[in-house]
Amino acid sequence: MAKKIAEKAQEQAQSSVKMVEIKHLRSMKDEAGKDVSVVDWTEVKGVDEAISQAEAQLVDVEARVTELKADIEEYKKIKG
C-alpha cells in the first residue's frame, strides 16, 4: 500500500514536537477505467514515533528477507 507522508502544520501555542500526517493510499479504477489513488485512511503522529515504528518495521522485514534467502538456497539444493 502506498503512502503520502507530509509534515503536519501545528498551531504556535502547541507543543514543539513535530508531527507527520500519513495518508494511506490504495489504487482503484475510476468510471473511465483509469487508475487513480484514493485515501484509504489518514493518521497523525509525532515524527519521532513515526521514525521508531519505521525502523522497527525495517528490522522485521530485513529478518524476513534473510529467511527467504535461506529458503531459496534450500530449494536450489533440492532442484540440483
Side-chain angles (χ1 to χ4, degrees):
M1 184 181 293
K3 296 178 188 174
K4 184 176 181 182
I5 301 170
E7 184 175 350
K8 177 75 173 165
Q10 297 256 339
E11 291 183 25
Q12 302 241 350
Q14 291 188 359
S15 169
S16 63
V17 174
K18 287 193 173 189
M19 303 295 285
V20 292
E21 179 180 60
I22 305 163
K23 293 180 181 179
H24 297 265
L25 308 172
R26 63 184 161 117
S27 296
M28 303 179 75
K29 295 210 181 272
D30 66 9
E31 293 175 356
K34 294 181 182 177
D35 288 331
V36 294
S37 292
V38 295
V39 177
D40 196 20
W41 57 286
T42 302
E43 64 180 314
V44 176
K45 61 176 95 174
V47 70
D48 291 330
E49 178 186 358
I51 291 169
S52 294
Q53 288 177 355
E55 288 173 341
Q57 290 173 349
L58 181 59
V59 168
D60 290 342
V61 170
E62 287 172 339
R64 182 70 178 131
V65 167
T66 300
E67 291 174 10
L68 289 170
K69 286 181 178 180
D71 290 350
I72 290 169
E73 288 303 311
E74 290 298 316
Y75 297 143
K76 286 181 177 180
K77 286 178 188 176
I78 293 169
K79 181 179 177 182

